[in-house]
């Protein structure tokens, strides 16, 4: 949000575009680009942006949400369809947004710190926010808003109440940084590091470095580690400040791990003075990010001892918003690490996306008000809450209580977190989706703990950002107009139910598919309105399916007749069904030769309509069977063409599964079915897609034992060490889905970055690991599956497939869904 007042006429002049304005004096406060995330519609300006989904397709949705100011491409929208709107016309709407951001940035003379690099940008930004806040009122990029779109949205937040901006900038290919540099015009620049992220967008590491440094073309000071910059590269900027873990920089740091393994000792030399600092971070990335912050503070004139004092009090930054199961049938969205307008808006959008409960609640703390007008700030907060579907607000802090009259919903206010915790039993918080959003000083993690259902300590973490990324990877492979069906059967491949379906519904997939009717009913009860196909319906579930508007797969004549017989006799709209034809899988389906008989049955009734016809490819991911796959596709094409002619109407045709989406584009027809690829597991080995790992299974150490040579471990005395050693018992067993086949050294887990083997048989609720030579303690985290131990790796170890690994994870294992 900006507190500088712009009219629509002002913006038309700034971006130099043609316009058709019905109300030139209309005020614009917010910039919108996503019709699903409209805030303060009356004062929003909607940019119809280009991309995988053309923003012009969503002008109507934005209009329905109350938006009346638009930036569109000429002739892309029939403006006569919309009453009382202001229209700005731009051939490149993203460029228009960036022009507006460039102008807005120039209105403020205070310093702007720009951060770029391959990794660590967000952490460095958040730590600098902590370190510099005593002197500065800081505006910063929300979360990881660092793209061609994210940067202008970040800059739009700048206003006269701030006196420092910290802006992230990320690029993925050559030519992107010039536009960001024109917008940001940083006075101070930070290069965190150069790694392998987005390597495919650059010819070399040198080229990537040169592109990133373009951000600092006119900057006064540049802070960087010289090991990441080739000596042949000319670093821009008038003054340079270098840091390094090692020798060869202005700030030289030696980092050593303390004996307890939980802290690092940093010994630094700067201007021939020595400093020692102990910090509670033990990973290399955190140490580098911390030293980078240290260097920036020195570069802008902070005294060394002030920095040492603040750095040792740095708090870890949790950039994730977590969705967890709560007590009393609640869903908890835990975003309690920080609280400002930008992150609050992002969290409210996530809350609005959730459909599993009809009631939505926000537990909110006071926001930081240093240098801000309190009434103006909370007026903005109240405006943001409008239209987000909130039923109830619980506020914590004196400022919220003082501004209680601004909030038009059911409210309760408490001065302190402790008062709220004491009163939780009296508040009757149940059957709701609850967003917990609080500044760190309020200790809202205690509220989260009080409201979260305490279950099995072993946890499966599901990265919703990665899942959304994978979805978009496959969408990018689709031909124009091809629909997308997503498989959410088997508890969404072990990842969850409504949690995954909500995200897919929000991202506007066309169909969901489950195996059994009860899975579909659970989704309907959780607010999922997308069409849902049931692959194995069962005659005894037909009546419930009709009640919940679930659409059956029909694969035999007996099933077809049984379903028709269950439909009401009174006149109703034709019920959608999905016909399956067997083209070679030989599992379920009508035979290709059944087409005439099937036509006769279908034309005999008006109770049903064929919504789609599909088949199942048997080996689309295996190259040696490509001829067989091609023949399946041919048979399917012939069958569906014959059926179309006979029925006299068109239906959706689909045969391509995850592998075929990429390997057989000619088989996309009208729709494709996405399965395990959504969860980051490649379905074939012949095309490398940029998929991200979605799931992370972790557990903890229950006990550590010293074992003498010759002793046995576990049931049946099958576990033995080669000599004296140490074992750690961890809280996962075959009842959690960790197969007994992983026993006796076949399975491995990750502790402190080191792979350790299992010892002995896998028990029902636990198993043992050989941790000889590693300093481990009770309660320490153990990684069972994740990016370093992928489902493919685990599957290969026990001779199975990733599908089994994922779907075997027991529902007693707690799921945490997070969004970064």
């Amino acid at each position: 949000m900006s507190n500088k007042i712009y009219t629509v006429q002002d913006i038309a002049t700034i971006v130099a575009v043609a316009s058709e304005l019905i109300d030139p004096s209309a005020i614009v406060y917010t910039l919108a680009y996503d019709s699903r995330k409209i805030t303060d519609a009356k004062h929003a300006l909607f940019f119809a942006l280009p991309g995988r989904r053309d923003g012009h397709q969503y002008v109507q949705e934005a209009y329905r949400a109350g938006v009346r100011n638009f930036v569109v491409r000429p002739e892309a929208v029939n403006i006569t369809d919309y009453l009382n709107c202001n229209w700005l016309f731009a051939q490149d709407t993203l460029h228009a947004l960036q022009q507006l951001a460039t102008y807005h940035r120039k209105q403020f003379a205070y310093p702007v710190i720009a951060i770029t690099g391959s990794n660590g940008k967000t952490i460095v930004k958040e730590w600098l926010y902590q370190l510099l806040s005593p002197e500065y009122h800081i505006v910063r990029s929300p979360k990881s808003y660092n793209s061609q779109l994210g940067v202008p949205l970040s800059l739009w937040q700048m206003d006269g109440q701030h006196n420092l901006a910290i802006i992230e900038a990320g690029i993925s290919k050559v030519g992107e940084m010039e536009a960001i540099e024109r917008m940001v015009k940083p006075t101070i620049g930070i290069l965190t590091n150069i790694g392998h992220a987005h390597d495919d967008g650059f010819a070399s590491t040198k080229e990537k470095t040169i592109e990133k440094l373009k951000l600092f073309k006119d900057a006064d000071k540049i802070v960087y580690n010289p090991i990441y910059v080739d000596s042949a590269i000319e670093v821009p900027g008038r003054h340079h400040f270098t840091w390094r873990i090692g020798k060869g920089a202005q700030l030289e740091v030696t980092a050593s791990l303390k004996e307890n393994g939980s802290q690092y000792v940093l010994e630094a030399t700067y201007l021939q003075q020595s400093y020692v600092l102990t910090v509670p971070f033990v990973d290399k990335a955190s140490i580098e990010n911390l030293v980078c912050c240290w260097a920036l503070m020195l570069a802008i004139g902070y005294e060394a001892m002030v920095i040492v004092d603040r750095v040792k009090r740095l708090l870890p930054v949790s950039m994730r918003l977590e969705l967890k199961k709560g007590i009393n049938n609640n869903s908890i969205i835990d975003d309690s690490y920080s609280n400002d307008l930008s992150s609050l808006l992002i969290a409210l959008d996530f809350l609005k996306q959730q459909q599993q409960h009809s009631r939505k609640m926000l537990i909110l703390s006071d926001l930081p008000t240093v240098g801000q007008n309190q009434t103006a700030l909370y007026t903005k907060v109240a405006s943001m809450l409008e239209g987000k579907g909130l039923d109830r607000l619980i506020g914590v802090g004196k400022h919220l209580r003082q501004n209680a009259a601004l909030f038009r919903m059911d409210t309760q206010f408490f001065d302190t977190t402790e008062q709220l915790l004491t009163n939780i039993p009296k508040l009757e918080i149940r059957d709701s989706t609850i967003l917990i959003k609080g500044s760190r000083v309020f200790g809202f993690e205690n509220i989260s703990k009080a409201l979260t259902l305490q279950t099995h300590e072993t946890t499966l973490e599901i990265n919703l950002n990665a899942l959304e990324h994978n979805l978009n990877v496959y969408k990018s492979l689709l031909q124009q107009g091809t629909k997308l069906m997503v498989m959410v059967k088997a508890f969404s491949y072990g990842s969850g139910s409504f949690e995954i379906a909500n995200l897919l519904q929000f991202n506007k997939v066309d169909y969901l598919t489950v195996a059994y009717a009860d899975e579909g009913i659970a989704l309907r009860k959780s607010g999922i309105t997308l069409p849902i196909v049931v692959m194995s319906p069962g005659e005894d579930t037909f009546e419930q399916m009709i009640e919940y508007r679930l659409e059956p797969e029909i694969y035999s004549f007996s099933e077809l007749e049984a379903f028709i017989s269950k439909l009401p006799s009174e006149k109703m709209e034709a019920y959608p069904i999905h016909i399956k034809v067997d083209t070679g899988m030989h599992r379920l389906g009508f035979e290709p030769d059944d087409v005439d008989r099937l036509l006769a049955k279908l034309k005999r009734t008006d109770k049903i309509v064929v919504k789609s016809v599909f088949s199942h490819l048997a080996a689309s991911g295996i190259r040696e069977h490509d001829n067989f796959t091609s023949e399946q596709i041919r048979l399917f094409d012939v069958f569906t063409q014959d059926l179309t002619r006979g029925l006299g109407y068109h239906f959706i045709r689909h045969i391509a599964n995850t592998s075929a989406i990429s390997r057989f584009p000619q088989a996309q027809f009208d729709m494709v079915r996405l399965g395990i690829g959504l969860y980051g597991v490649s379905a074939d080995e012949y095309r490398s897609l940029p998929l991200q790992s979605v799931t992370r299974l972790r557990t903890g150490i229950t006990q550590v034992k010293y074992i003498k040579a010759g002793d046995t471990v576990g049931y049946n005395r099958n576990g033995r060490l080669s000599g004296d050693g140490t074992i750690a018992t961890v809280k996962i067993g075959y009842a959690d889905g960790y197969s007994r086949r992983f026993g006796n050294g076949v399975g491995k887990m990750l502790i402190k970055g080191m792979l350790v083997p299992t010892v002995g048989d896998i028990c029902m609720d636990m198993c043992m690991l050989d941790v000889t030579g590693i300093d481990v303690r009770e309660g320490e985290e153990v990684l069972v599956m994740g990016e370093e131990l992928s489902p493919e790796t685990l599957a290969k170890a026990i001779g199975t497939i990733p599908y089994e690994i994922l779907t075997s994870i027991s529902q007693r294992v707690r799921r945490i869904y997070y969004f970064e």
Side-chain angles (χ1 to χ4, degrees):
M1 293 183 179
S2 166
N3 70 345
K4 183 174 178 61
I5 305 299
Y6 293 93
T7 67
V8 174
Q9 180 64 69
D10 292 334
I11 294 173
T13 303
I14 291 165
V15 300
V17 297
S19 61
E20 188 167 320
L21 307 180
I22 193 168
D23 182 10
S25 62
I27 302 298
V28 172
Y29 290 141
T30 63
L31 306 182
Y33 66 95
D34 189 330
S35 60
R36 302 164 300 181
K37 301 178 180 180
I38 301 296
T39 299
D40 190 10
K42 180 181 178 181
H43 300 108
L45 176 62
F46 183 86
F47 287 79
L49 298 178
R52 182 181 42 78
R53 284 183 180 264
D54 188 346
H56 295 87
Q57 298 175 16
Y58 302 101
V59 167
Q60 187 177 64
E61 285 188 19
Y63 180 81
R64 288 173 181 164
V67 176
R68 294 296 180 265
N69 307 305
F70 296 90
V71 181
V72 299
R73 198 170 61 250
E75 301 177 1
V77 177
N78 183 0
I79 65 173
T80 60
D81 292 341
Y82 304 92
L83 300 176
N84 303 318
C85 289
N86 291 314
W87 299 97
L88 280 64
F89 303 107
Q91 286 293 343
D92 186 337
T93 52
L94 177 60
H95 180 62
L97 172 62
Q98 293 177 341
Q99 282 183 292
L100 178 58
T102 300
Y103 177 89
H104 183 67
R105 154 69 180 96
K106 289 178 180 177
Q107 307 312 301
F108 306 99
Y110 50 76
V112 174
I113 299 173
I115 306 172
T116 192
S118 297
N119 299 290
K121 297 183 291 293
T122 303
I123 297 298
V124 168
K125 176 196 68 186
E126 293 298 322
W127 274 348
L128 286 177
Y129 179 78
Q130 290 184 40
L131 292 165
L132 304 180
S133 286
E135 289 76 37
Y136 295 97
H137 182 219
I138 301 170
V139 57
R140 66 198 193 279
S141 301
K143 293 191 181 285
S144 297
Y145 276 37
N146 58 34
S147 65
Q148 300 289 309
L149 171 59
V151 168
L153 295 177
S154 299
L155 292 170
W156 184 251
Q157 299 175 105
M158 295 177 68
D159 61 32
Q161 296 182 40
H162 298 107
N163 56 15
L164 177 66
I166 307 178
I167 305 296
E168 286 187 53
I171 58 173
S172 58
K173 60 184 178 182
V174 172
E176 291 184 329
M177 192 59 89
E178 286 93 339
I180 292 178
E181 189 277 333
R182 284 193 296 270
M183 289 185 281
V184 178
K185 285 296 177 188
T187 50
I188 302 165
I190 298 174
L191 178 70
T192 56
N193 55 51
I194 298 293
H196 294 294
H198 303 297
D199 272 354
D200 53 343
F202 304 93
S204 64
T205 300
K206 182 177 180 181
E207 181 181 66
K208 181 193 295 185
T209 306
I210 291 171
E211 287 295 315
K212 289 183 180 291
L213 288 173
K214 288 179 180 178
L215 176 61
F216 310 134
K217 184 179 71 169
D218 296 321
D220 181 54
K221 293 185 177 70
I222 312 298
V223 176
Y224 68 98
N225 185 336
I227 70 169
Y228 294 119
V229 181
D230 189 293
S231 59
I233 297 175
E234 183 179 352
V235 179
R238 286 178 282 278
H239 302 96
H240 298 167
F241 191 102
T242 58
W243 62 273
R244 187 171 182 175
I245 298 179
K247 300 292 184 181
Q250 289 163 269
L251 176 64
E252 298 175 339
V253 178
T254 300
S256 56
L257 195 64
K258 290 189 74 171
E259 286 186 6
N260 63 11
S262 63
Q263 292 177 309
Y264 256 106
V265 176
L266 306 181
E267 299 180 43
T269 302
Y270 173 64
L271 295 179
Q272 300 181 327
Q273 295 290 318
S274 297
Y275 305 92
V276 179
L277 180 62
T278 300
V279 294
F281 306 107
V282 295
D283 61 292
K284 179 183 176 183
S286 292
I287 298 303
E288 282 204 351
N289 293 334
L290 186 149
V291 177
C292 184
C293 295
W294 193 342
L296 180 281
M297 295 183 75
L298 288 170
I300 62 176
Y302 276 81
E303 293 182 6
M305 290 312 298
V306 171
I307 301 170
V308 168
D309 179 62
R310 290 190 187 174
V311 166
K312 71 182 181 184
R313 291 187 278 116
L314 267 182
L315 297 169
V317 175
S318 171
M319 293 306 298
R320 13 190 274 186
L321 172 157
E322 294 184 344
L323 175 63
K324 302 178 281 193
K325 290 190 182 298
I327 60 173
N328 300 329
N329 193 37
N330 293 309
S331 294
I332 307 299
I333 301 173
D334 185 354
D335 195 18
S336 58
Y337 71 93
S338 69
N339 196 16
D340 55 58
L341 287 176
S342 300
S343 64
L344 175 59
L345 181 58
I346 293 169
L348 286 169
D349 284 335
F350 187 80
L351 172 64
K352 187 177 179 181
Q353 179 182 324
Q354 305 306 309
Q355 302 299 322
Q356 59 268 31
H357 301 291
S358 60
R359 290 181 56 79
K360 292 182 171 65
M361 179 197 302
L362 170 63
I363 301 178
L364 181 69
S365 79
D366 280 352
L367 280 74
T369 55
V370 178
Q372 295 194 67
N373 179 288
Q374 188 187 120
T375 302
L377 174 65
Y378 286 100
T379 299
K380 287 182 180 179
V381 172
S383 175
M384 288 171 61
L385 301 190
E386 293 289 327
K388 296 301 181 183
L390 278 178
D391 300 286
R392 189 176 185 185
L393 168 67
I394 296 178
V396 177
K398 295 179 180 178
H399 294 164
L400 273 167
R401 183 190 289 278
Q402 290 166 4
N403 291 277
L406 295 170
F407 301 97
R408 289 177 285 182
M409 60 193 69
D410 180 14
T411 58
Q412 290 90 28
F413 295 95
F414 300 90
D415 286 339
T416 67
T417 301
E418 290 70 27
Q419 288 178 4
L420 170 57
L421 288 169
T422 301
N423 282 275
I424 278 179
K426 302 175 185 176
L427 294 175
E428 296 185 354
I429 301 173
R430 61 179 62 253
D431 303 315
S432 301
T433 304
I434 306 165
L435 170 60
I436 301 174
K437 191 80 176 103
S439 300
R440 191 183 291 275
V441 294
F442 280 86
F444 267 25
E445 63 272 13
N446 295 314
I447 299 174
S448 176
K449 186 176 180 180
L451 294 177
T452 300
L453 188 65
Q454 302 302 312
T455 57
H456 201 290
E457 190 170 327
T458 297
T459 302
L460 182 68
E461 298 175 343
I462 295 96
N463 184 338
L464 297 179
N465 298 85
L467 192 141
E468 196 168 48
H469 166 84
N470 297 338
L471 178 67
N472 289 330
V473 167
Y474 281 99
K475 281 184 175 180
S476 71
L477 301 177
L478 301 185
Q479 298 161 9
Q480 186 70 30
T482 303
K483 296 180 183 294
L484 181 61
M485 171 183 279
V486 180
M487 316 301 286
V488 291
K489 61 181 182 176
F491 200 53
S492 294
Y493 291 74
S495 295
S497 177
F498 63 79
E499 299 89 351
I500 304 300
N502 268 330
L503 182 69
L504 296 172
Q505 181 164 275
F506 183 75
N507 279 277
K508 298 183 181 296
V509 305
D510 299 285
Y511 270 89
L512 299 179
T513 302
V514 297
Y516 299 106
D518 57 353
E519 295 175 306
I521 292 168
L523 292 180
R524 285 282 185 255
K525 288 181 176 179
S526 297
I528 300 302
T529 58
L530 283 173
I532 299 174
V533 176
V534 179
M535 304 294 270
S536 300
E539 187 175 345
D540 58 339
T541 66
F542 284 160
E543 289 180 351
Q544 278 188 302
M545 287 180 59
I546 295 166
E547 178 185 353
Y548 287 95
R549 201 66 186 174
L550 304 175
E551 302 176 14
E553 167 191 315
I554 301 294
Y555 50 81
S556 69
F557 289 106
S558 59
E559 189 192 30
L560 176 61
E561 292 170 356
F563 185 73
I564 292 171
S565 71
K566 294 292 184 180
L567 289 167
S569 55
E570 63 270 14
K571 188 67 177 176
M572 61 175 287
E573 182 183 351
Y575 202 95
I577 66 169
H578 300 261
I579 299 292
K580 184 171 189 178
V581 57
D582 182 3
T583 57
M585 181 77 165
H586 296 326
R587 189 172 61 181
L588 293 173
F590 292 95
E591 295 300 317
D593 292 342
D594 290 335
V595 65
D596 291 335
R597 184 182 170 198
L598 179 58
L599 274 169
K601 293 276 188 184
L602 293 172
K603 294 170 75 172
R604 197 176 298 159
T605 178
D606 59 0
K607 286 186 175 184
I608 57 174
V609 62
V610 176
K611 192 70 176 179
S612 84
V613 178
F614 69 103
S615 189
H616 203 122
L617 296 175
S620 61
I622 303 175
R623 183 173 293 166
E624 64 185 272
H625 297 308
D626 281 358
N627 288 338
F628 184 86
T629 300
S630 296
E631 177 60 12
Q632 281 195 271
I633 296 168
R634 188 194 68 80
L635 287 171
F636 176 72
D637 193 19
V638 171
F639 181 90
T640 52
Q641 288 192 42
D642 288 345
L643 203 64
T644 300
R645 282 192 294 269
L647 288 175
Y649 61 83
H650 291 282
F651 44 76
I652 298 169
R653 300 191 295 165
H654 53 110
I655 191 172
N657 55 6
T658 300
S659 295
I661 291 173
S662 58
R663 297 199 66 237
F664 292 90
Q666 73 274 22
Q668 290 190 10
F669 291 101
D670 303 305
M671 184 161 68
V672 299
R673 300 190 302 273
L674 177 59
I676 200 166
L678 179 67
Y679 307 95
V681 177
S682 178
D684 67 78
E685 52 191 80
Y686 304 110
R687 178 171 182 182
S688 178
L689 295 175
L691 303 178
Q692 295 180 2
S693 177
V694 170
T695 52
R696 185 173 184 267
L697 180 61
R698 62 179 178 85
T699 188
I701 295 176
T702 302
Q703 191 173 32
V704 178
K705 284 182 177 290
Y706 176 75
I707 302 295
K708 295 181 180 179
D711 284 355
T712 60
V713 178
Y715 285 119
N716 306 312
R717 303 194 66 200
N718 284 331
R720 297 178 186 274
L721 302 182
S722 57
D724 293 351
T726 308
I727 64 163
T729 300
V730 295
K731 302 175 181 180
I732 188 169
Y734 59 79
D736 304 299
Y738 194 67
S739 172
R740 293 188 78 248
R741 289 172 286 176
F742 284 117
N744 300 297
V746 174
K748 293 178 175 58
M749 299 183 194
L750 205 64
I751 300 179
K752 289 186 171 180
M754 290 174 276
L755 282 176
V756 296
T758 58
V759 181
D761 293 348
I762 305 299
C763 308
M764 180 181 290
D765 308 303
M766 61 193 75
C767 61
M768 288 67 75
L769 304 173
D770 181 358
V771 294
T772 304
I774 305 174
D775 180 19
V776 298
R777 300 168 186 271
E778 292 178 9
E780 285 195 88
E781 180 178 300
V782 179
L783 182 69
V784 183
M785 180 179 71
E787 195 166 349
E788 307 89 335
L789 284 169
S790 67
E792 296 97 320
T793 300
L794 298 183
K796 187 175 181 180
I798 61 173
T800 187
I801 57 176
Y803 294 80
E804 182 180 347
I805 298 296
L806 291 173
T807 59
S808 294
I809 299 171
S810 168
Q811 291 195 36
R812 80 173 186 176
V813 172
R814 181 168 59 139
R815 268 75 173 170
I816 293 179
Y817 304 84
Y818 66 93
F819 184 82
E820 294 181 318

